[in-house]
Amino acid sequence: MSAEEPAKGTPKDAPQDTPKTPEPSGVDLARVALRAAKEQARARGDAAQQKKQARRGGLRSGARADGRDPLPLGSAINRLITERGWETPAAVGGVMGRWPQIVGDDLAKHCVPQRYDESERVLTVQCDSTAWATNLRLLAPQLVARLNEDLGHGTVRLIKVLGPGGPARRFGPLRAPGSTGPGDTYG
């Protein structure tokens, strides 16, 4: 028989010596049992600690920092905004506060943001004259792009521009028939 031929009764591709995994010895079994006993003791200790705290009237703060310690105001507000999902309205509110820096002082003097509709993603802006309202309507696409750069893509879809509001329409005996009143000059 040559060295290249397999021994009789063994397949040609089967390895000759397959290493067997050793059975755990006494020392290994003892380590496994010790680890299990420590985990059980830790679980019993945690349960006893919780029961003891419940009898004392709940958890008490200790010397180390934990989740029950007071937070700085800014952190507490940021946490509340994140938990409630108010990121977009808060960001848009910040834009309304920084309106002069975003649109420029000239435009900010004559056009003021009024409200933001989150579901429609529409920012409503009130202008003090029809000329400024027309100017803002022409600048709206660039302004939407600038706002979305600042707030995130798609936050503002449209800017709704309102013209100046006139005095309240009054109906009475001094009204000329067929006249729209102050609406003739405003709007």
Side-chain angles (χ1 to χ4, degrees), residues 53 69 106 155:
Q53 287 174 346
D69 288 341
D106 236 9
T155 305

Side-chain angles (χ1 to χ4, degrees), residues 89-103 108 112-113 123 147 150:
V92 171
V95 164
M96 290 183 179
R98 294 180 290 123
W99 185 250
Q101 290 87 17
I102 294 172
V103 299
V112 179
L123 180 65
L147 288 169
D150 194 33

Side-chain angles (χ1 to χ4, degrees), residues 48-61:
Q49 180 71 18
Q50 288 174 354
K51 195 182 283 185
K52 184 177 175 184
Q53 287 174 346
R55 271 184 287 171
R56 282 192 291 172
L59 297 173
R60 294 192 178 157
S61 184

Side-chain angles (χ1 to χ4, degrees), residues 9-181:
T10 60
K12 200 177 201 183
D13 296 333
Q16 297 295 329
D17 295 319
T18 55
K20 294 183 178 179
T21 57
E23 293 293 322
S25 65
V27 174
D28 294 329
L29 289 173
R31 284 187 185 138
V32 169
L34 179 63
R35 187 177 308 127
K38 283 183 177 180
E39 288 175 6
Q40 289 174 353
R42 188 175 301 120
R44 280 193 308 268
D46 288 344
Q49 180 71 18
Q50 288 174 354
K51 195 182 283 185
K52 184 177 175 184
Q53 287 174 346
R55 271 184 287 171
R56 282 192 291 172
L59 297 173
R60 294 192 178 157
S61 184
R64 292 181 188 86
D66 62 7
R68 298 167 289 149
D69 288 341
L71 293 173
L73 183 61
S75 299
I77 290 174
N78 288 337
R79 185 177 181 185
L80 179 68
I81 287 172
T82 303
E83 287 174 357
R84 301 283 172 106
W86 294 340
E87 290 92 0
T88 302
V92 171
V95 164
M96 290 183 179
R98 294 180 290 123
W99 185 250
Q101 290 87 17
I102 294 172
V103 299
D105 290 330
D106 236 9
L107 195 60
K109 288 178 188 174
H110 302 282
C111 303
V112 179
Q114 296 294 315
R115 64 186 159 275
Y116 174 72
D117 184 7
E118 188 176 1
S119 62
E120 297 288 325
R121 298 190 319 252
V122 175
L123 180 65
T124 305
V125 180
Q126 175 94 40
C127 296
D128 62 0
S129 72
T130 53
W132 282 104
T134 303
N135 190 18
L136 186 63
R137 284 186 188 102
L138 293 173
L139 293 173
Q142 291 105 7
L143 190 56
V144 166
R146 190 180 307 166
L147 288 169
N148 284 331
E149 245 179 57
D150 194 33
L151 299 172
H153 183 67
T155 305
V156 177
R157 186 179 55 82
L158 178 73
I159 293 180
K160 182 178 177 183
V161 181
L162 302 176
R169 294 187 182 191
R170 295 189 181 116
F171 300 100
L174 299 178
R175 184 169 174 253
S179 170
T180 57

